Amino acid sequence: MLLQVNELRKTYATGFEAVKGISLQVNKGEIVALLGPNGAGKTTLISTICGITNPSSGSVFIDGYDISKNFRDARKLVGLVPQDITLEPFEKVLNTINFSRGLFGKKKDDALTEKVLTKLSLWDKRDSRIMELSGGMKRRVLIAKALIHEPRLLFLDEPTASVDVELRQSMWDVVADLKKDGVTIILTTHYIEEAEAIADRVGIINKGELLLIEEKASLMQKFGQKILKVELQKKLKQLPKELSEKNVKLSDDGLSITYIYDTKQKKTGITKLLSNLSNSGINLRDIQTDQSSLEEIFVNLVREKVE
Amino acid sequence: MNFQAVRAIYFFEMARFFRTLLQSFVSPVISTSLYFVVFGTAIGSRIQEVDGISYGAFIVPGLIMLSVMTQATSNASFGIYFPKFIGTIYELLSAPVNYFEILLGYVGAAATKALFIGLVILATAAIFVDLKIIHPIAMILFLVLTCISFSLLGFILGIWARNFEQLQLVPLLVVTPLVFLGGSFYSVSMLPPIWQKITLFNPVVYLVSGFRWSFFGNADVPIFVSLLAISSFTVACIIIVAWIFNTGWRIKQ
């Protein structure tokens, strides 16, 4: 296990409790996505693990090192890409990257610098000043700064917030490459498709609590609602009586019926629906089912907790 | 001890200085020359001698102190305030460095810059007036201690400041008046008796006096008092910095 968080709490001086007793374990080589709306406590959780804010209570171990007692050993393993673009505007790319490596107690390594910058398509820009770079490049400089000291655990705090589609895809490619190199990654996002695309496990955070953390596939299965779509041979003006349920809907063109069911339930109601259809003398052309996306799962879960 | 980190911070800060080398180098040379033209030639020709030293030479230690104190304070305060302001401080806080190493990097760089400026002014002054330094080792000691202690003060200010206005406030409203009123351009003995007493509450008097002693061998206050003053000031700054680091005051929530 690379990261172990036990009952971590963070209350700010204002009295606001941003993290309410979160426990979390992350294995080596995993990609974990922490999903949650703005203000859910994702950034505070990361900041506390990385040493930027002091925990109010609880403990954190990185590869067995306590983040307060053995902060040097713990922090050497960690790279952080912050959410906001925070860079010295007048510095050159190369200088700011060498600075980061130095801070982590390592001597300049030109071969590694070239490798990291090339991977992030920044090698050509190494002598440019930060302020001359585009937003997407600046974000890649932040990633380079976090990678240059060869961390084993990388935090990406909303890496694709406000970046265009193309850059988002290239960011995902970078993450996939890092995973191949054995880097453990924890990323926060409020884009569900991001978690869906790259994570092994997904945690859902809301109002300072980790509502759940599960394998992505099992999460989707567990909380997945499915949609059954039945296409009809002939147009239907309205649903027959035996089919009028709140989960069954006739499409506007009258050529298909959709049925939303919960895979968690013992009885999905599919058999009943199909037999009712046949009893009503409706002929079917085709049947298909759709798994609900993480987005729908997320919305359902957060709503459930509020209720 | 993470020496690489100290090195990284130190040279990163020094790079800022070298980027603005013209400004860092030319501005003290020009302002020193102006002081000599105004104080040394225009006014100094009427004062002639203070304690047996030509007025032009008499003001050299005060001029150096004036620049060194203000430069050390503003350089060090800016050095740590800027990362706080733009947010890059996250990197310092999440790196495997302790506070002492951070301090060493920032204060070391600010003190080096101030020392460099002090030496530039000294060299410029030597063009205008005939300078003799009676106690060169004491002179260097005073200069270095002043650079370090005022850089520490600047570091504290940089952490304390919440905006650029506060950052400018102390150097402008406290350090500069204290230096001007601290006998940089006059001898305390030239003041009316009541002001001679009041001026002793100004800590800068002891520094300028001690520094001047290292040049000419005479001083407003005994040299050991000056040494005590600069040492206590340094220790006081170190204690405050230690408290800031222990509590994370205005650095860490």
Side-chain angles (χ1 to χ4, degrees):
Chain A
M1 192 184 303
L2 191 61
L3 172 70
Q4 187 175 359
V5 180
N6 304 319
E7 274 298 306
L8 191 71
R9 282 176 191 278
K10 173 66 193 178
T11 310
Y12 284 106
T14 53
F16 175 67
E17 197 177 19
V19 174
K20 299 171 182 166
I22 287 184
S23 297
L24 174 70
Q25 275 107 36
V26 177
N27 296 318
K28 279 180 188 160
E30 251 190 320
I31 299 184
V32 173
L34 297 174
L35 204 57
N38 285 325
K42 306 183 297 283
T43 299
T44 302
L45 175 66
I46 288 184
S47 299
T48 313
I49 295 172
C50 292
I52 295 165
T53 50
N54 290 319
S56 303
S57 68
S59 57
V60 179
F61 296 89
I62 296 165
D63 207 15
Y65 297 114
D66 186 312
I67 57 156
S68 10
K69 287 181 195 122
N70 313 102
F71 78 95
R72 276 191 209 271
D73 295 310
R75 287 185 195 169
K76 267 183 189 159
L77 302 170
V78 179
L80 167 65
V81 181
Q83 184 177 340
D84 299 318
I85 291 176
T86 44
L87 290 163
E88 294 239 7
F90 308 110
E91 278 303 330
K92 287 183 178 168
V93 172
L94 210 53
N95 289 348
T96 182
I97 286 173
N98 288 334
F99 173 70
S100 300
R101 188 167 164 89
L103 270 188
F104 280 77
K106 293 186 171 172
K107 280 192 178 154
K108 214 164 73 168
D109 180 341
D110 292 332
L112 179 77
T113 307
E114 185 172 350
K115 194 181 136 197
V116 169
L117 287 182
T118 307
K119 192 187 245 178
L120 292 161
S121 336
L122 283 169
W123 183 242
D124 296 340
K125 298 282 177 188
R126 61 190 180 278
D127 289 318
S128 302
R129 296 194 191 285
I130 301 290
M131 58 185 178
E132 294 159 6
L133 303 182
S134 69
M137 282 179 191
K138 284 179 189 159
R139 203 169 277 278
R140 288 202 294 258
V141 172
L142 283 177
I143 297 178
K145 277 165 80 75
L147 291 179
I148 199 68
H149 68 270
E150 304 156 281
R152 303 315 301 152
L153 175 62
L154 182 70
F155 286 95
L156 294 165
D157 197 358
E158 307 214 356
T160 57
S162 69
V163 302
D164 59 37
V165 178
E166 198 182 340
L167 182 62
R168 185 178 300 175
Q169 189 57 52
S170 83
M171 209 71 86
W172 293 351
D173 295 342
V174 169
V175 170
D177 275 356
L178 289 170
K179 186 184 159 76
K180 260 184 232 154
D181 295 341
V183 179
T184 305
I185 297 167
I186 296 178
L187 67 103
T188 70
T189 180
H190 47 237
Y191 298 118
I192 285 148
E193 52 167 336
E194 187 154 281
E196 217 169 337
I198 55 179
D200 298 315
R201 279 199 299 159
V202 179
I204 294 180
I205 295 186
N206 194 38
K207 294 185 176 162
E209 286 175 279
L210 185 63
L211 301 181
L212 65 90
I213 179 156
E214 295 228 12
E215 297 289 326
K216 181 177 62 184
S218 77
L219 179 76
M220 290 182 61
Q221 201 177 21
K222 197 165 166 188
F223 287 92
Q225 284 185 327
K226 278 193 151 184
I227 299 171
L228 178 72
K229 192 176 176 190
V230 181
E231 286 180 28
L232 311 174
Q233 296 258 1
K234 281 179 191 162
K235 224 178 209 181
L236 211 61
K237 277 189 180 156
Q238 63 178 69
L239 283 173
K241 262 185 192 166
E242 48 268 64
L243 288 171
S244 7
E245 271 187 67
K246 67 168 183 175
N247 289 342
V248 182
K249 282 197 178 86
L250 182 68
S251 65
D252 290 340
D253 59 12
L255 278 172
S256 66
I257 290 171
T258 55
Y259 172 59
I260 299 173
Y261 63 99
D262 195 337
T263 51
K264 284 187 291 179
Q265 301 294 321
K266 261 190 179 173
K267 289 183 178 175
T268 55
I270 295 173
T271 322
K272 192 178 156 203
L273 177 84
L274 292 180
S275 68
N276 282 343
L277 280 170
S278 127
N279 292 342
S280 314
I282 298 170
N283 291 328
L284 314 184
R285 182 200 289 275
D286 197 5
I287 289 178
Q288 62 188 60
T289 63
D290 263 335
Q291 181 95 43
S292 60
S293 68
L294 260 175
E295 179 135 19
E296 289 155 311
I297 297 174
F298 177 70
V299 170
N300 284 343
L301 194 73
V302 172
R303 193 189 294 141
E304 221 169 82
K305 291 277 168 175
V306 170
E307 283 163 4
Chain B
M1 184 84 179
N2 186 346
F3 283 108
Q4 278 300 333
V6 177
R7 233 179 84 101
I9 297 172
Y10 182 86
F11 285 108
F12 197 72
E13 281 302 297
M14 289 309 285
R16 204 201 301 285
F17 180 63
F18 289 119
R19 260 203 309 268
T20 54
L21 196 63
L22 200 68
Q23 185 194 327
S24 319
F25 184 81
V26 173
S27 113
V29 170
I30 289 181
S31 61
T32 311
S33 308
L34 286 175
Y35 277 116
F36 275 113
V37 171
V38 176
F39 287 99
T41 316
I43 301 173
S45 61
R46 288 159 191 269
I47 301 178
Q48 299 194 352
E49 282 195 350
V50 183
D51 300 336
I53 305 148
S54 79
Y55 186 68
F58 178 84
I59 62 170
V60 172
L63 268 181
I64 296 175
M65 278 292 182
L66 174 67
S67 289
V68 163
M69 287 175 186
T70 47
Q71 289 289 330
T73 314
S74 57
N75 267 321
S77 61
F78 187 78
I80 190 69
Y81 177 75
F82 198 54
K84 255 178 55 180
F85 176 69
I86 59 172
T88 50
I89 195 156
Y90 84 87
E91 215 181 359
L92 287 174
L93 295 176
S94 60
V97 290
N98 65 21
Y99 289 128
F100 181 67
E101 289 149 5
I102 294 176
L103 186 73
L104 219 54
Y106 279 103
V107 168
T112 308
K113 292 176 209 175
L115 184 66
F116 173 78
I117 290 166
L119 295 174
V120 166
I121 295 174
L122 184 64
T124 313
I127 301 170
F128 287 87
V129 293
D130 200 11
L131 267 184
K132 269 190 205 119
I133 301 167
I134 296 183
H135 307 288
I137 294 173
M139 193 278 281
I140 292 293
L141 181 74
F142 260 102
L143 191 59
V144 170
L145 268 178
T146 308
C147 291
I148 293 173
S149 57
F150 277 77
S151 297
L152 282 167
L153 174 72
F155 190 83
I156 296 169
L157 292 177
I159 286 177
W160 162 78
R162 289 193 197 273
N163 50 50
F164 275 101
E165 196 190 4
Q166 288 184 344
L167 197 66
Q168 305 283 348
L169 213 64
V170 173
L172 204 67
L173 293 185
V174 181
V175 178
T176 308
L178 282 183
V179 180
F180 267 91
L181 300 174
S184 303
F185 301 109
Y186 54 85
S187 164
V188 171
S189 61
M190 291 157 82
L191 296 172
I194 177 76
W195 283 102
Q196 289 194 17
K197 295 268 185 311
I198 293 173
T199 202
L200 292 178
F201 288 99
N202 180 354
V204 176
V205 166
Y206 302 92
L207 306 186
V208 172
S209 166
F211 195 49
R212 187 173 289 134
W213 172 85
S214 68
F215 277 78
F216 310 118
N218 45 19
D220 291 327
V221 290
I223 179 65
F224 71 88
V225 178
S226 292
L227 266 176
L228 192 69
I230 182 78
S231 312
S232 341
F233 179 62
T234 312
V235 170
C237 288
I238 290 174
I239 291 172
I240 296 173
V241 169
W243 174 82
I244 288 174
F245 284 163
N246 277 327
T247 56
W249 182 70
R250 296 209 176 166
I251 307 178
K252 221 172 167 179
Q253 283 181 304

